[in-house]
Amino acid sequence: MKKKNNIKKLITHNIGCEAETVDKLYYLLLENEETKRDYIDTRLVRHEDIISLLLYYYQYLSIEEVSKTIGKSSRTIQGRLQNTLDSLFIICDQQFKQNYDSFLENAGLLINPADQMEVAGIAADTVAIGCNSPQDYAAQNHMNSKKHGGTVMKCHVENDVDTGRVGFVSPCFGGSIHDKVIAETLYIQRDENKKPMVDSNNKTIFKHQDHPILGDKAYIGMPSFITPFKRTSNLTNQQLDHNAFIKQNRIKIENFFCKLKRFKILSTSYRGSLENLDKIIVVLSFIVDLENPNRYETDFQFNPDTLQTIKFDRKVLLQKKIKKTTSTTTRTTPISTTTPPIPTTTTTPIPTTTPIPTTTTIPTTTTLIPIPTS
């Protein structure tokens, strides 16, 4: 028991987040209707699997080292990590989509002191994640970035300027794609046929066009962003105030990237599959957002008492499944006991079914013996 308690203390200390955050994730998994059926009834992923997943992402150990610390085989841990990642991605992505409208409302508007222009209190930027170079030459060109000097994947994030809350996390793009091109693909308004919408002047309609959001110099020329002026010696005081306003309000998103990259799976060279990279970024972004004390009123209310009742119900469900498995095993045991006497019954009729009484024609052949003598 002491070894297990020491392992739990070591895990909760080295997963990169608080223990209450793990309880919140487990609470969301059990309360969600989509993941409740798969998470409890069929896959039976436990509370410890979330801890092992965060341990793997925070320290980025090998699966063999994680199996040694937890005390299970590497094959079972690899399967459970994938199951928990899939389940957590469904919940985190759903939470981001549900809370996006409230995110826009709570972000509010800011007034630029340089030109008294109303600006949305949202900052956006892309985070680059280094990856191992793939073997495919076309994939290498797609991921190669001259700015970062290697193969990377990019992800676009929107952040609240005041509270630091995360509102939007995009899927990953190749490192060769410019940040402006990524924003154009995400922010162009499209109709039902996925064609870009056009206004009366035949200009494409962009998201955040009425109240632009804060961006860096990579988004110069987009109507969805307010960007700083390039540094030259001829900048006026109004332009300097404009740059200072953008710089001050973009601190929160840079702090978010710093907190996100405390997980070594994103700060070091990523060596996993690219299909899981989108899910990992969404899950870890949601975990960082859970630890933000500035919560909205529309967010879910975590109640630890209900979590204890859910855990108790889950234990009862597991006991029922254990009883079912034990009952099925006891049913199969008498079948195995009846099988040994079967060869004995087959051996007993062999002497009884001797063909001696049936061969009555044999003595008739003896009467034919004197015929050749005549």
Side-chain angles (χ1 to χ4, degrees), residues 60 129-136 139-141 143-144 150-153 265 268-274 277:
Y60 205 30
I129 296 148
C131 302
N132 287 338
S133 180
Q135 296 180 356
D136 190 6
Q140 288 181 6
N141 292 330
M143 296 171 61
N144 190 13
T151 54
V152 298
M153 296 294 288
I265 194 170
T268 59
S269 181
Y270 177 73
R271 56 180 182 266
S273 62
L274 296 177
L277 185 59

Side-chain angles (χ1 to χ4, degrees), residues 164-183:
R165 295 293 304 276
V166 182
F168 175 74
V169 180
S170 73
C172 292
F173 294 87
S176 62
I177 303 173
H178 196 267
D179 296 347
K180 186 177 179 180
V181 179
I182 294 172

Side-chain angles (χ1 to χ4, degrees), residues 204-247:
T204 56
I205 300 172
F206 288 91
K207 187 179 175 183
H208 303 298
Q209 189 171 354
D210 297 332
H211 299 286
I213 62 178
L214 304 176
D216 56 2
K217 297 175 185 177
Y219 305 104
I220 292 175
M222 281 193 66
S224 300
F225 289 89
I226 177 173
T227 56
F229 296 98
K230 292 183 179 180
R231 292 181 181 179
T232 58
S233 59
N234 298 324
L235 290 178
T236 61
N237 293 326
Q238 184 179 1
Q239 291 175 349
L240 291 173
D241 293 338
H242 177 80
N243 290 346
F245 170 74
I246 295 173
K247 186 178 180 180

Side-chain angles (χ1 to χ4, degrees), residues 165-330:
R165 295 293 304 276
V166 182
F168 175 74
V169 180
S170 73
C172 292
F173 294 87
S176 62
I177 303 173
H178 196 267
D179 296 347
K180 186 177 179 180
V181 179
I182 294 172
E184 286 177 353
T185 56
L186 293 172
Y187 288 169
I188 290 176
Q189 297 291 332
R190 300 181 183 275
D191 55 4
E192 297 178 354
N193 297 324
K194 295 183 179 180
K195 293 182 180 179
M197 298 175 66
V198 180
D199 58 1
S200 60
N201 296 322
N202 291 326
K203 292 183 180 179
T204 56
I205 300 172
F206 288 91
K207 187 179 175 183
H208 303 298
Q209 189 171 354
D210 297 332
H211 299 286
I213 62 178
L214 304 176
D216 56 2
K217 297 175 185 177
Y219 305 104
I220 292 175
M222 281 193 66
S224 300
F225 289 89
I226 177 173
T227 56
F229 296 98
K230 292 183 179 180
R231 292 181 181 179
T232 58
S233 59
N234 298 324
L235 290 178
T236 61
N237 293 326
Q238 184 179 1
Q239 291 175 349
L240 291 173
D241 293 338
H242 177 80
N243 290 346
F245 170 74
I246 295 173
K247 186 178 180 180
Q248 290 174 359
N249 290 311
R250 289 189 71 255
I251 293 173
K252 294 288 185 180
I253 193 166
E254 298 296 338
N255 292 334
F256 168 73
F257 290 156
C258 182
K259 292 178 182 178
L260 185 64
K261 288 199 173 183
R262 71 172 181 245
F263 295 94
K264 291 185 180 179
I265 194 170
L266 300 180
S267 60
T268 59
S269 181
Y270 177 73
R271 56 180 182 266
S273 62
L274 296 177
E275 296 178 356
N276 290 331
L277 185 59
D278 296 336
K279 300 178 182 179
I280 292 169
I281 294 172
V282 171
V283 170
L284 294 181
S285 299
F286 185 75
I287 289 170
V288 174
D289 191 55
L290 275 178
E291 295 182 348
N292 194 335
N294 299 318
R295 305 294 296 171
Y296 297 149
E297 294 180 355
T298 56
D299 293 337
F300 74 96
Q301 301 296 326
F302 174 67
N303 190 359
D305 295 332
T306 57
L307 180 62
Q308 295 297 326
T309 56
I310 290 169
K311 285 183 179 180
F312 179 75
D313 293 337
R314 187 180 180 281
K315 286 182 181 179
V316 173
L317 190 142
L318 285 171
Q319 288 176 1
K320 289 181 180 179
K321 289 201 165 188
I322 291 168
K323 288 180 180 178
K324 287 182 180 179
T325 54
T326 53
S327 63
T328 53
T329 53
T330 54

